Amino acid sequence: MQIFAHEGRIEIGDWFFLGAGSTVWSSDPIGIKIGKRVLVSSGVVIHDTNSHPMDPEKRFAQTRAIFKTGHPRIDPGIRSAPVTIGDDVWIGTGAMIMKGVTVGDRAIISAGAIVRSDVPSDALVPPG
């Protein structure tokens, strides 16, 4: 899990499981909220951020700063939007949850799915 130096927040409910090789990255002031009894399989990506600026000059400046001194403490122009994952959600191997998404309670995200829009409670998201 990573909270960027300039901002970010991650809240996790009880009985959360994060599988090997999964990443949860936040740079959003509201951040990522994960409910109770959420199971995240291996190789899952949950990001509320693009991680790098869209502008190539700003992206290179950020990369150079990371190499030299670590993540900048001021926002380098990264886009972010909060992510909310409800209770009792299961996220399959290799799935990606992108910025700005809300996943409803008891939803199942299939292995390899790329989630770019909200998922209602009790839904099954098919593979990528």
Side-chain angles (χ1 to χ4, degrees), residues 1 3-4 20 24 36 50 90 92 97 101-102 117-119 125-126:
M1 289 196 213
I3 296 174
F4 283 63
V24 180
K36 300 176 287 200
N50 286 356
W90 178 20
I97 310 295
V101 168
T102 295
S117 58
D118 291 350
V119 176
V125 176

Side-chain angles (χ1 to χ4, degrees), residues 47-108:
H47 291 189
D48 69 9
T49 177
N50 286 356
S51 301
H52 300 286
M54 299 299 286
D55 178 88
E57 290 182 26
K58 290 180 181 178
R59 187 168 52 244
F60 176 67
Q62 181 208 29
T63 301
R64 187 175 55 233
I66 291 169
F67 288 171
K68 290 182 175 184
T69 59
H71 276 276
R73 296 206 175 275
I74 58 169
D75 183 354
I78 294 172
R79 295 180 187 168
S80 67
V83 171
T84 302
I85 298 173
D87 295 338
D88 299 303
V89 171
W90 178 20
I91 303 173
T93 301
M96 298 178 73
I97 310 295
M98 308 305 282
K99 70 180 186 294
V101 168
T102 295
V103 178
D105 294 339
R106 300 170 306 280
I108 297 174

